Amino acid sequence: MAKDQLIIFDTTLRDGEQSPGASMTRDEKVRIAKALERLRVDVIEAGFAVASPGDFEAVKAVAEAITESTVCSLSRALDRDIEVAAEAIAPAPRRRIHTFIATSPIHMKHKLKLEPEQVIEQAVYAVKKARQYTDDVEFSAEDAGRSDIDFLARVFEAVIKAGATTCNFPDTVGYNLPFQIEETVRTLLTKIPNADKAVFSVHCHNDLGLAVANSLAAVR
């Protein structure tokens, strides 16, 4: 893949649905997915398949309807999440599993109750598990914006070795400013020895009204 290629990953059907009043039926999600495909969106994140039977059916319906774009399901770094995601996206000609685990100190300590080394082990395990179902695996370091950059580099290096083809930096709590995102992405690309083996992406939240600015800063 050319280094200057920009890949558009749309999460309207998953993260967008978390906006108040924005919940969608299965048929509405299929209609939106078809519109995104007509717009030549590269990757459509159809949902979080394990979240509910309704989400599973919606992801599966999108996978059955889309032929050109890659169809993706989110999953935590857990066996059942990954297995259900794989089943839901199976009908799609191009499919991706997007697995994640938190990497910030506050999330590791209070939410996951795991030590940093355990988080790396779980991330690697999840990527290897996902690779059993598809060659297209994305890994996200949840709350990357508040994570230690040296630890983040270690996590990304490990998951790339495990088979991740895309590494995503999510500003989960909308915490970062454009100059911080640009500096962090630039630093990560120099710190990770196998960075050239994966695509790097960002997922920016709009809490401070800076999601677009942060995304553009990362691309720079």
Side-chain angles (χ1 to χ4, degrees):
M1 180 177 295
K3 287 187 176 181
D4 60 353
Q5 181 177 350
L6 185 64
I7 298 169
I8 303 298
F9 178 105
D10 188 281
T11 188
T12 301
L13 303 181
R14 202 274 304 168
D15 211 5
E17 195 179 28
Q18 296 185 34
S19 300
S23 61
M24 293 168 267
T25 66
R26 182 188 65 182
D27 291 345
E28 287 171 336
K29 288 187 176 184
V30 170
R31 286 173 56 198
I32 292 172
K34 288 181 176 178
L36 292 171
E37 185 174 46
R38 288 195 298 273
L39 289 169
R40 303 180 70 84
V41 166
D42 298 292
V43 184
I44 300 170
E45 188 167 54
F48 194 170
V50 81
S52 69
D55 233 32
F56 175 87
E57 292 300 329
V59 174
K60 185 177 179 182
V62 170
E64 291 170 342
I66 298 303
T67 59
E68 297 297 328
S69 300
T70 296
V71 176
C72 171
S73 175
L74 187 68
S75 76
R76 292 167 296 184
L78 301 172
D79 282 322
R80 175 163 169 75
D81 280 43
I82 294 166
E83 291 162 3
V84 173
E87 183 181 353
I89 64 172
R94 297 177 177 84
R95 49 194 176 272
R96 172 182 296 190
I97 294 175
H98 178 193
T99 189
F100 72 93
I101 194 168
T103 55
S104 66
I106 190 169
H107 276 216
M108 290 190 290
K109 180 178 180 180
H110 296 291
K111 184 177 78 168
L112 299 177
K113 303 187 188 307
L114 294 175
E115 294 297 322
E117 294 303 321
Q118 292 175 299
V119 168
I120 294 177
E121 290 175 9
Q122 189 66 27
V124 166
Y125 175 83
V127 169
K128 288 182 177 179
K129 173 83 173 179
R131 281 296 299 253
Q132 295 175 15
Y133 301 99
T134 176
D135 291 337
D136 190 346
V137 175
E138 178 168 349
F139 172 80
S140 281
E142 185 186 9
D143 203 18
R146 296 189 295 176
S147 299
D148 175 78
I149 194 162
D150 290 324
F151 178 66
L152 201 55
R154 288 180 58 209
V155 174
F156 282 142
E157 179 184 358
V159 297
I160 293 170
K161 286 181 180 177
T165 50
T166 298
C167 289
N168 182 46
F169 179 101
D171 183 21
T172 304
V173 295
Y175 174 83
N176 289 130
L177 301 175
F179 79 90
Q180 293 172 309
I181 290 276
E182 180 176 356
E183 180 180 340
T184 300
V185 171
R186 195 185 308 278
T187 301
L188 282 172
L189 291 175
T190 60
K191 279 182 173 287
I192 301 168
N194 54 357
D196 61 323
K197 305 298 183 184
V199 172
F200 278 78
S201 66
V202 293
H203 172 91
C204 299
H205 284 195
N206 206 41
D207 299 64
L208 301 178
L210 292 170
V212 173
N214 282 342
S215 299
L216 293 174
V219 171
R220 288 182 61 186

